[in-house]
């Protein structure tokens, strides 16, 4: 089991990663961040993406969808933003967030690696 800091460092090893966070979508707080740029404030990104997670969960509830979210992908002109809610009781209410450069990232590999990192994360 890896702690949060080790997991965030591992996320930054994903090709194209420019920043990552572990956030609580109930409070909007970033519990840990790494990387970022002058244009990518990870605390702000984590807080903003809590609204994305909450909105999707509300929509699923209204549609009576009983499945769980594996990940949410937001595709921008030059970046991918991936949100992966943590499964398991210990991670309830938390999600992983990573911003990737499209020119360097392999989306399938990034999803695979993020899934593996989540499986070993101990929060």
């Amino acid at each position: 089991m890896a702690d949060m800091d080790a997991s965030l460092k591992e996320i930054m090893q994903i090709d194209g990663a420019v920043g990552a966070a572990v956030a609580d979508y109930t409070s909007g707080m970033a519990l840990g961040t790494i990387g970022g740029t002058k244009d990518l404030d990870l605390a702000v990104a984590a807080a903003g993406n809590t609204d994305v997670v909450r909105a999707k969960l509300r929509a699923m509830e209204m549609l009576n969808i009983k499945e769980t979210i594996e990940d949410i992908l937001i595709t921008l002109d030059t970046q991918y933003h991936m949100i992966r809610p943590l499964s398991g009781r210990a991670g309830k209410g938390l999600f992983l967030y990573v911003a990737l450069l499209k020119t360097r990232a392999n989306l399938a590999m990034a999803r695979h690696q993020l899934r593996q990192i989540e499986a070993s994360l101990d929060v």
Side-chain angles (χ1 to χ4, degrees):
M1 289 293 192
D3 69 9
M4 185 173 18
D5 290 336
S7 294
L8 286 169
K9 288 177 185 171
E10 196 173 345
I11 291 171
M12 290 303 291
Q13 298 305 307
I14 297 172
D15 282 344
V18 292
V22 175
D24 179 340
Y25 64 77
T26 57
S27 69
M29 298 272 307
L31 305 178
T33 63
I34 191 169
T37 66
K38 66 178 180 62
D39 297 321
L40 179 62
D41 182 327
L42 289 163
V44 173
N49 281 304
T50 62
D51 293 333
V52 173
V53 175
R54 289 179 197 159
K56 186 59 188 170
L57 290 171
R58 275 193 309 273
M60 289 172 61
E61 185 179 339
M62 288 188 288
L63 294 168
N64 201 29
I65 296 173
K66 301 295 183 200
E67 298 181 47
T68 57
I69 299 169
E70 274 190 41
D71 55 47
I72 299 168
L73 174 65
I74 300 166
T75 305
L76 305 176
D77 291 338
T78 62
Q79 297 178 352
Y80 296 121
H81 290 228
M82 291 178 50
I83 301 165
R84 185 168 179 87
L86 299 182
S87 57
R89 286 191 358 219
K92 187 90 171 125
L94 303 180
F95 66 90
L96 294 175
Y97 165 76
V98 60
L100 305 158
L101 294 175
K102 281 174 79 173
T103 56
R104 293 197 37 227
N106 175 322
L107 191 53
M109 283 302 298
R111 290 183 72 219
H112 174 72
Q113 290 172 286
L114 201 57
R115 186 178 315 116
Q116 288 183 320
I117 292 165
E118 182 220 347
S120 68
L121 177 61
D122 185 27
V123 285

